[in-house]
Amino acid sequence: WDKGRANFEDKTFSQRQNKTRIYYGRPKVEGSDFNGLSTFYGTSFKDYESSYGAIRKIYKQESNLLVFQELKVGQLLINESTLYSNDGTPTGVVGQRNTVLNDMNYYAREYGIGNNPESFAVYGNRKYFIDAERGAVLRLGLEGITPISETAMQGFFSQKMSELLLINPKFNAFGGYDIYNEEYILSFETQVIGRGLPGETIAYSDTKKRWTQLYSFLPDYMCSSMVRLVTFKNGEFYMH
């Protein structure tokens, strides 16, 4: 005789958001039928520095993870640990088999991705994104974080992002990379809240090391692949 699944009343139940916690699953064993990637245990996680805000973007780079928090960007080693000298300078990496997630190595510059993970774009070793609170457009490369907005455009971006934050703190700024023209494309969404603010699409060229032009096209969404720049407008799909 079956009365259904047993129920348990937990009077201490509550919802909690852990905005700087990263969980990891069990491994996928190559050459076997075992795939534990979707299996998570309650202790399979690590918490990171909460003073830098929530984690908004995680990007896999080779065997490591780039972690973009609202106010800071760091690199997370997987199954590895960093060796430091007496003055705190990283000197190398050593394998550590018994730990999946290790300590975060934060970049020196005081920049994060804010609330705009949609601004992220990548090509090769270069990653692009914005930090609206600091009015900056950034490139993360082998040399670290570089504010490319300072290339004769800092006043423009500081004013633009400041106005956007006043009108709509959750505004969208879509990022993509055009591999044919070798440009990072950044498109600020049109704002209709309050007094409104027109959208703008602007391009930065790493080859020319400057902001090159404004585009008239304002996509509803934009992303990039290793082949083409992809945009969406009024339900239509475009490849550039």
Side-chain angles (χ1 to χ4, degrees), residues 62-114:
E62 297 177 346
S63 61
N64 303 326
L65 297 177
L66 289 176
V67 180
F68 295 80
Q69 292 179 241
E70 293 173 340
L71 302 175
K72 200 77 169 169
V73 180
Q75 186 178 43
L76 180 59
L77 302 178
I78 306 299
N79 287 121
E80 294 176 330
S81 181
T82 305
L83 290 176
Y84 294 90
S85 62
N86 291 334
D87 62 0
T89 304
T91 60
V93 174
V94 61
Q96 193 175 66
R97 296 181 181 178
N98 62 338
T99 305
V100 177
L101 299 177
N102 292 283
D103 292 337
M104 190 88 72
N105 297 316
Y106 286 101
Y107 287 92
R109 303 297 295 267
E110 297 297 319
Y111 293 108
I113 202 168

Side-chain angles (χ1 to χ4, degrees), residues 12-132:
T12 64
F13 174 80
S14 63
Q15 184 180 47
R16 178 182 298 175
Q17 292 185 344
N18 299 298
K19 296 184 178 181
T20 58
R21 177 174 294 181
I22 299 177
Y23 284 88
Y24 58 90
R26 299 188 67 191
K28 180 181 186 301
V29 180
E30 297 294 336
S32 74
D33 295 331
F34 181 79
N35 184 353
L37 295 178
S38 61
T39 302
F40 297 85
Y41 293 118
T43 56
S44 300
F45 67 85
K46 188 172 177 65
D47 290 314
Y48 293 95
E49 182 56 57
S50 60
S51 65
Y52 296 142
I55 294 173
R56 296 297 186 187
K57 176 77 178 179
I58 298 177
Y59 178 78
K60 183 179 182 298
Q61 178 177 262
E62 297 177 346
S63 61
N64 303 326
L65 297 177
L66 289 176
V67 180
F68 295 80
Q69 292 179 241
E70 293 173 340
L71 302 175
K72 200 77 169 169
V73 180
Q75 186 178 43
L76 180 59
L77 302 178
I78 306 299
N79 287 121
E80 294 176 330
S81 181
T82 305
L83 290 176
Y84 294 90
S85 62
N86 291 334
D87 62 0
T89 304
T91 60
V93 174
V94 61
Q96 193 175 66
R97 296 181 181 178
N98 62 338
T99 305
V100 177
L101 299 177
N102 292 283
D103 292 337
M104 190 88 72
N105 297 316
Y106 286 101
Y107 287 92
R109 303 297 295 267
E110 297 297 319
Y111 293 108
I113 202 168
N115 290 310
N116 297 102
E118 75 284 351
S119 68
F120 180 85
V122 59
Y123 183 70
N125 290 320
R126 303 189 297 269
K127 293 86 183 172
Y128 304 85
F129 58 100
I130 73 168
D131 185 335

Side-chain angles (χ1 to χ4, degrees), residues 118 160 163-164 167-168 170-174 186-201 215-221 233-234:
E118 75 284 351
K160 181 74 175 179
E163 291 177 344
L164 284 166
I167 295 172
N168 179 12
K170 296 183 179 180
F171 74 89
N172 286 318
F174 302 113
L186 179 63
S187 183
F188 293 100
E189 188 178 53
T190 299
Q191 300 298 314
V192 296
I193 302 173
R195 61 184 176 85
L197 195 66
E200 290 180 286
T201 301
Y215 288 108
S216 60
F217 185 58
L218 297 173
D220 295 328
Y221 188 76
K233 183 71 174 180
N234 298 325

